């Protein structure tokens, strides 16, 4: 219980501050500057809901964080064309929210995100190397693919567990990426 209480206290401080300045003015600022904070609050609130069962975390997500969810350029569609990484936890937060609520619009969002990484969605598809690695950018290419593998595997086991076609599709994509990263 001490760890959960500590996590809840840190969350309350971060939610009250709602500021990148507190982090970016710290000793870590020369290494990893945060570009935004709502994604981390959205992600943390999901984890705290899972740890405590306290619905107020879901209420806060709905009132404070979902309205801040990023959108695709010149669109009202929720952003699906990026990856889960240290500076952007939106896709992982969206997955946890879909797991926690079962809301179809968030399940569909995760499918759009994973489809973007697989065969494409909305006329967009992540770049692939000639040998098959899903390549989002040159800085830590495997981290984006590996983190999306985590999202795909967890989604297949949870929100898509009753849809064998989607679960198989995302598991197969994830396995292909893992095989590539491990030297296939």
């Amino acid at each position: 219980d001490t760890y959960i209480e500590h996590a809840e206290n840190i969350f309350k401080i971060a939610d009250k501050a709602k500021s990148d300045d507190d982090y970016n003015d710290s000793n870590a600022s020369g290494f990893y500057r945060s570009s935004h904070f709502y994604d981390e609050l959205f992600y943390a609130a999901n984890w705290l809901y899972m740890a405590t069962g306290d619905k107020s975390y879901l209420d806060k997500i709905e009132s404070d964080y979902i309205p801040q969810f990023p959108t695709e350029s010149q669109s009202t569609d929720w952003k699906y064309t990026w990856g889960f990484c240290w500076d952007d936890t939106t896709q992982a937060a969206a997955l946890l929210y879909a797991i926690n609520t079962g809301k179809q619009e968030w399940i569909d969002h995760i499918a759009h995100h994973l489809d973007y990484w697989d065969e494409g969605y909305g006329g967009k598809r992540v770049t692939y190397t000639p040998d098959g690695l899903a390549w989002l950018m040159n800085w830590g290419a495997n981290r984006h693919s590996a983190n999306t593998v985590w999202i795909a595997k967890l989604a297949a086991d949870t929100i898509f567990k009753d849809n064998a076609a989607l679960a198989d599709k995302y598991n197969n994509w994830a396995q292909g990426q893992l095989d590539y990263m491990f030297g296939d």
Side-chain angles (χ1 to χ4, degrees):
D1 287 338
T2 304
Y3 293 117
I4 291 175
E5 289 172 17
H6 186 62
E8 288 181 306
N9 288 333
I10 290 171
F11 177 82
K12 286 176 189 172
I13 292 166
D15 184 60
K16 184 178 178 185
K18 286 191 177 81
S19 170
D20 288 325
D21 293 337
D22 291 331
Y23 177 79
N24 287 331
D25 290 337
S26 74
N27 290 335
S29 66
F31 302 98
Y32 295 103
R33 294 187 63 78
S34 179
S35 58
H36 41 81
F37 56 85
Y38 279 105
D39 60 316
E40 282 93 356
L41 292 171
F42 186 14
Y43 192 49
N46 273 292
W47 282 117
L48 285 168
Y49 170 74
M50 293 170 93
T52 66
D54 183 346
K55 189 179 175 305
S56 70
Y57 290 111
L58 295 180
D59 295 341
K60 184 166 277 300
I61 288 169
E62 291 166 11
S63 65
D64 294 1
Y65 310 145
I66 288 175
Q68 302 300 321
F69 199 88
T71 56
E72 291 294 327
S73 179
Q74 299 181 352
S75 172
T76 58
D77 293 339
W78 288 325
K79 188 162 188 73
Y80 58 86
T81 58
W82 192 246
F84 169 38
C85 65
W86 65 268
D87 189 37
D88 192 334
T89 60
T90 53
Q91 301 310 323
L95 172 58
L96 293 182
Y97 189 68
I99 291 168
N100 287 335
T101 66
K103 290 186 175 184
Q104 191 62 48
E105 64 189 325
W106 288 95
I107 294 169
D108 292 345
H109 171 77
I110 294 302
H112 299 162
H113 175 65
L114 294 174
D115 288 345
Y116 166 75
W117 279 81
D118 186 6
E119 77 269 359
Y121 175 79
K124 302 173 186 175
R125 183 179 187 226
V126 73
T127 302
Y128 275 75
T129 65
D131 291 324
L133 176 69
W135 187 86
L136 187 63
M137 64 180 296
N138 62 335
W139 190 256
N142 279 354
R143 73 181 159 126
H144 286 290
S145 182
N147 289 346
T148 305
V149 163
W150 176 78
I151 289 174
K153 297 293 263 177
L154 184 57
D157 288 348
T158 56
I159 61 175
F160 300 122
K161 70 180 179 192
D162 296 327
N163 183 332
L166 284 181
D168 288 347
K169 174 181 159 181
Y170 298 138
N171 271 319
N172 289 337
W173 174 84
Q175 190 61 52
Q177 291 301 296
L178 288 172
D179 289 346
Y180 181 94
M181 285 182 261
F182 286 116
D184 186 2

